[in-house]
Amino acid sequence: MRGLYRRCSLWRTGREAPNSLFFFSNALCTDTNNIDGVQGSRIKVFDRHFRRKQIDRAAWLMRSKDSFVDAVAENLLDRLEDCKKTFPTALCLGGQLEAVRRLLHGRGAIEKLIMMSASYDMVKLCRNAERELQTENIETSFIVGDEEFLPVKESSVDLVLSCLGLHWTNDLPGAMIQCRLALKPDGLFLAAILGGETLKELRIACTVAQMEREGGISPRVSPLAQVRDAGNLLTRAGFSLPGVDVDEFVVRYPSALDLIEHLRAMGETNALLQRNTILKRDTALATAAIYDSMFATEDGTIPATFQVIYMTGWRDHPSQQRAKRRGSATVSFQDIQKQFGSET
């Protein structure tokens, strides 16, 4: 059994209609090379074709309930309860779609939900799981599409949700800009991505094992965004009222092999374009042994850290609060200090 604890710092299917599955082509997508004057990234870090295969595999290996994934999805959806605004039309984008749909429980007053994944198998899994949700009357649609080429019309949805998916895009700012364009004015963007401190124990064990066995290192864990980058990403994508907060989860496993099995079930294994496709047996065994010797706890389990960065942003609308023009203040802090200072 895995243990989990957390350290916190701040398409179309109605109940009366059969499920439908639609496919979109990239011809409907926005050109991400130049959106709103922002030059898109031409650097390819991740192998998107291999990434689809990973999600296909995860759809078959995925557990019915995963404590870590459920915790992240629950925390993401909790933010909808903090909003008085309702979101009639929502887009759930890649990542852990099934957990988000299962844990939605009417939050956000969503009436139409579009669920999109790059994997046909994952979309099929979510479509089949939808039949078991008899308590919510939400018109649900399913799309097979790529987060990097969003097949959604501009200003067509009130809410964009992404749970553990956007950190696999080659052009994250471009993907976020497309999300903003898909939103209606005063629409909400909510996303959870893995942060740079994720799997730090595995990174260390892999590095030491490769140095010992191979005399050099190659990337075995994908690069991830740092917390300080998240706010810049929201600002660069053009979101207003940006907000970022972080959760850190520590999941305990019987062994490093159980950790790798869990990563495969989540579709979170290495998808680097320049990855080394060969892992020697002795290097793998050495990694597991080093992991155990350096990080094992008294009960024999090993910890794995998952840093989750939550990003919140709104599409611009005149009703949103704005900072006053600089120099427009009518009262100085010095006067306030004198007033309150005299009272004390």
Side-chain angles (χ1 to χ4, degrees):
M1 297 292 291
R2 297 194 314 275
L4 170 66
Y5 67 88
R6 180 183 61 172
R7 295 196 293 267
C8 298
S9 56
L10 286 160
W11 209 329
R12 162 176 148 190
T13 66
R15 291 300 169 204
E16 69 284 353
N19 289 4
S20 301
L21 184 62
F22 289 77
F23 296 88
F24 284 75
S25 72
N26 289 346
L28 296 177
C29 305
T30 306
D31 179 9
T32 58
N33 287 329
N34 195 345
I35 305 176
D36 285 6
V38 177
Q39 188 69 19
S41 173
R42 296 180 181 273
I43 300 175
K44 303 300 180 184
V45 179
F46 302 110
D47 186 340
R48 296 293 295 175
H49 178 67
F50 184 70
R51 174 65 185 151
R52 292 188 189 95
K53 292 182 178 180
Q54 286 182 324
I55 307 174
D56 286 339
R57 180 175 63 187
W60 291 96
L61 298 177
M62 185 178 294
R63 299 151 184 174
S64 57
K65 291 183 179 181
D66 186 305
S67 57
F68 165 65
V69 171
D70 286 0
V72 175
E74 191 71 44
N75 290 343
L76 185 67
L77 294 170
D78 274 345
R79 285 153 174 79
L80 295 176
E81 297 184 355
D82 299 331
C83 302
K84 295 181 180 180
K85 180 181 172 64
T86 60
F87 306 95
T89 306
L91 169 64
C92 189
L93 189 63
Q96 303 297 331
L97 298 176
E98 189 275 335
V100 171
R101 180 64 185 95
R102 173 165 44 84
L103 299 171
L104 188 57
H105 300 320
R107 282 178 283 200
I110 296 172
E111 300 172 3
K112 295 181 180 180
L113 177 64
I114 305 169
M115 303 184 73
M116 192 192 92
S117 176
S119 163
Y120 171 84
D121 289 344
M122 183 62 72
V123 170
K124 185 178 180 181
L125 173 71
C126 295
R127 182 190 178 197
N128 293 336
E130 179 72 18
R131 298 168 181 166
E132 301 176 7
L133 300 172
Q134 301 295 331
T135 58
E136 299 180 51
N137 188 21
I138 299 178
E139 182 181 329
T140 308
S141 310
F142 301 91
I143 300 176
V144 176
D146 195 325
E147 299 96 329
E148 294 187 351
F149 306 95
L150 203 59
V152 178
K153 291 182 179 180
E154 186 174 344
S155 302
S156 60
V157 298
D158 303 286
L159 170 67
V160 173
L161 283 166
S162 178
C163 182
L164 302 179
L166 284 178
H167 54 272
W168 290 108
T169 56
N170 286 305
D171 182 12
L172 183 52
M176 292 173 63
I177 290 171
Q178 290 183 76
C179 290
R180 177 178 61 82
L181 293 176
L183 287 169
K184 298 176 182 178
D186 205 27
L188 175 61
F189 170 77
L190 280 176
I193 63 173
L194 292 178
E197 293 297 309
T198 297
L199 299 177
K200 57 185 178 183
E201 302 90 352
L202 182 60
R203 294 175 193 266
I204 295 172
C206 282
T207 300
V208 174
Q210 284 187 296
M211 289 295 294
E212 288 183 353
R213 304 291 175 169
E214 302 176 16
I217 60 173
S218 60
R220 291 292 178 183
V221 182
S222 300
L224 298 167
Q226 300 294 329
V227 178
R228 62 180 178 270
D229 301 324
N232 294 333
L233 286 168
L234 287 166
T235 303
R236 181 181 175 187
F239 287 104
S240 60
L241 307 176
V244 177
D245 58 287
V246 183
D247 272 1
E248 190 173 278
F249 299 85
V250 178
V251 186
R252 302 194 180 277
Y253 301 88
S255 69
L257 298 180
D258 292 281
L259 166 60
I260 300 303
E261 181 184 349
H262 185 210
L263 293 175
R264 286 176 176 171
M266 292 192 297
E268 295 291 342
T269 49
N270 189 5
L272 285 171
L273 191 62
Q274 297 182 351
R275 67 192 180 278
N276 189 342
T277 58
I278 299 175
L279 177 60
K280 297 180 180 179
R281 178 182 175 85
D282 59 340
T283 303
L285 295 176
T287 299
I290 293 169
Y291 201 132
D292 185 74
S293 64
M294 295 182 66
F295 302 105
T297 57
E298 294 180 356
D299 60 1
T301 60
I302 60 165
T305 301
F306 293 88
Q307 184 186 55
V308 182
I309 303 174
Y310 300 93
M311 298 186 292
T312 306
W314 296 81
R315 186 164 185 181
D316 191 54
H317 190 267
S319 66
Q320 294 170 356
Q321 59 267 41
R322 302 173 186 276
K324 292 290 185 179
R325 181 177 56 84
R326 190 171 188 177
S328 61
T330 58
V331 179
S332 70
F333 280 106
Q334 188 175 9
D335 294 338
I336 295 174
Q337 185 178 11
K338 288 179 180 180
Q339 179 182 352
F340 286 96
S342 62
E343 292 179 358
T344 58

